[in-house]
Amino acid sequence: MSRMRTGIADPGLYARGLPDLVQRNTRTLALMGGADSVWVPDHLMGILPASIWSPRHIGATRFTPSIDGYLETWTTLGYLAAQNRLARLRLGVGVTDTGRRNPAVTAQAAATLHLLSRGRGILGMGPGERENNEPYGVQWDRPVARFEEAMATIRALWSSGGTPISRDSEFFPLRKAVFDVPPYRGTRPPIWIGAHGPRMLRAAGRYADAWYPAFALRPAEYARRLDQVRTAASDAGRDPQRILPAASLFVFTGVTRDSVDEAITALPAKAFALCAPAEMWKQHGAEHPLGPDFSGIQDLMPQILDEATVQSYAQKVPPTLLREVCLVGTPSEVVEQVAAWRDRGLRYAVLTNMSHLQPDMTKGMLATVPFARILRGLRRL
């Protein structure tokens, strides 16, 4: 059995006074915890409502004043590549979507990062979320169809060898298009696909080097969907065992169990539960405040939720829901939870530290130490 590898998801936000403070801290934490990679999100606005992003609810806002102040992804990855020449951390986008950028531009950005970082780039891809598309005039109809065509386009360009290529496509046709950014020592960036539904799982089997879902899965369900990805890979004539089983997991930890409990009962943590689909709420005996058929993070529009609305929704969050959506506990408890995922096939865990989402800034900062212990503990799985 191969050992567990880990990555850290950077918040992607600018900091007051020193714009790259958050990214510096992420890099330091990755080195402390022995992580393999650092990941940068591709967002234009946050997944938490800006109406609650204030010191009254989140102490860390004294340093990061806006949940919507995202640094541009590829620029940030280039900056991190320049800062990590010795550490050799791998660098991933987690994840970008196929609506806001033409896939030829994404193919160029990822190939450039991979080449200039000497083989450290990872291209994370998914169908995207409504919040990062619709408000900016980007069409949000048929996101999965666009995703499938974008993946086929990127693969075709990367394989073209600089020869003009033409390809019919409903969304991204190529007409004697030239792509000649060279591979790094014969390699292109591995493609990690965030897939959950049946059609996306089949797409992951056809195109992915790694399957990379994000939360809202139980370990048993993870194993079932991993089998679907591998079956799709086999149907496409690919070796299913070459697809790396990965996952994006969200962590609430602390120095003591009391500090952990305090964090997950705070308003920001409960607001994060709105990202879970209505189906999962129902399994915990509650109806999602946004409706019984709400899909979760893919269709969440946090910018329209005022503070009073968020507080009223938070009161409806089942106490057990966050403990299923996230990894919650002291370091030893979280490592044990990830072990359950490991037993169901997971081999690469990319962790997001959510512990700072609480009113007490000091406790949020202190949670960095147990988070680093979790990273080190996972290396022994």
Side-chain angles (χ1 to χ4, degrees):
M1 180 184 295
S2 59
R3 71 175 181 87
M4 180 73 68
R5 283 179 288 169
T6 59
I8 298 180
D10 183 85
L13 301 173
Y14 79 91
R16 180 180 280 117
L18 190 62
D20 66 341
L21 176 63
V22 175
Q23 291 69 45
R24 289 171 182 252
N25 287 343
T26 298
R27 176 182 178 274
T28 300
L29 184 56
L31 297 176
M32 286 173 54
D36 175 68
S37 59
V38 169
W39 295 74
V40 176
D42 188 3
H43 276 256
L44 287 165
M45 68 173 73
I47 60 174
L48 289 181
S51 60
I52 65 167
W53 195 261
S54 67
R56 188 158 70 93
H57 300 300
I58 303 171
T61 59
R62 294 177 174 86
F63 294 105
T64 51
S66 174
I67 183 59
D68 300 323
Y70 279 92
L71 302 176
E72 197 278 327
T73 302
W74 295 104
T75 307
T76 303
L77 286 169
Y79 168 79
L80 289 173
Q83 297 295 315
N84 288 282
R85 292 177 180 173
L86 298 180
R88 299 294 298 166
L89 291 166
R90 299 175 73 194
L91 303 167
V93 51
V95 297
T96 191
D97 64 56
T98 50
R100 286 179 289 135
R101 288 185 176 90
N102 186 286
V105 177
T106 299
Q108 180 189 38
T112 300
L113 175 69
H114 195 61
L115 181 65
L116 297 183
S117 67
R118 300 181 181 180
R120 288 183 285 157
I122 303 173
L123 175 56
M125 298 284 290
E129 300 90 18
R130 183 182 298 275
E131 67 167 14
N132 290 303
N133 287 274
E134 194 173 75
Y136 303 95
V138 180
Q139 287 187 308
W140 182 240
D141 62 312
R142 303 174 63 196
V144 176
R146 291 176 186 276
F147 172 84
E148 291 174 323
E149 282 301 301
M151 291 310 312
T153 300
I154 290 171
R155 288 293 193 191
L157 290 170
W158 281 356
S159 301
S160 66
T163 301
I165 179 174
S166 297
R167 182 178 181 276
D168 290 331
S169 169
E170 180 181 359
F171 304 106
F172 311 111
L174 300 176
R175 299 289 181 261
K176 296 189 181 300
V178 175
F179 186 91
D180 207 14
V181 178
Y184 175 74
R185 295 184 176 178
T187 69
R188 294 296 190 186
I191 295 176
W192 290 37
I193 292 181
H196 296 83
R199 186 172 172 183
M200 280 297 300
L201 293 172
R202 291 193 296 271
R206 289 196 302 273
Y207 297 112
D209 297 298
W211 176 48
Y212 186 48
F215 74 96
L217 286 177
R218 297 181 178 91
E221 182 66 13
Y222 180 88
R224 186 182 71 80
R225 297 190 193 190
L226 176 58
D227 285 342
Q228 291 179 266
V229 172
R230 286 175 167 165
T231 297
S234 181
D235 291 344
R238 304 180 66 206
D239 180 356
Q241 297 305 313
R242 292 183 66 85
I243 297 179
L244 175 66
S248 174
L249 303 174
F250 296 81
V251 178
F252 283 92
T253 191
V255 178
T256 66
R257 286 191 179 91
D258 287 343
S259 61
V260 175
D261 291 341
E262 186 176 338
I264 66 167
T265 55
L267 178 62
K270 291 184 176 182
F272 182 67
L274 296 174
C275 296
E279 178 184 359
M280 182 164 279
W281 281 64
K282 184 177 180 180
Q283 292 168 359
H284 290 263
E287 181 176 307
H288 199 294
L290 294 172
D293 299 318
F294 187 65
S295 67
I297 190 172
Q298 191 172 41
D299 284 312
L300 184 65
M301 300 290 276
Q303 80 278 20
I304 67 174
L305 302 177
D306 61 30
E307 183 177 1
T309 299
V310 176
Q311 289 176 327
S312 68
Y313 288 174
Q315 294 175 5
K316 302 176 182 180
V317 177
T320 54
L321 178 59
L322 274 171
R323 293 185 180 274
E324 183 173 56
V325 171
C326 303
L327 304 173
V328 179
T330 60
S332 60
E333 292 169 338
V334 170
V335 170
E336 188 64 26
Q337 291 165 32
V338 178
W341 286 73
R342 184 272 319 270
D343 294 344
R344 298 292 187 163
L346 180 69
R347 292 296 176 268
Y348 202 121
V350 178
L351 305 184
T352 299
N353 185 9
M354 306 290 284
S355 312
H356 62 282
L357 296 178
Q358 56 177 298
D360 193 318
M361 183 178 68
T362 300
K363 290 181 179 179
M365 293 175 64
L366 288 175
T368 300
V369 175
F371 184 77
R373 289 177 56 195
I374 291 169
L375 290 167
R376 290 195 295 270
L378 294 183
R379 296 178 65 189
R380 296 190 289 271
L381 288 183

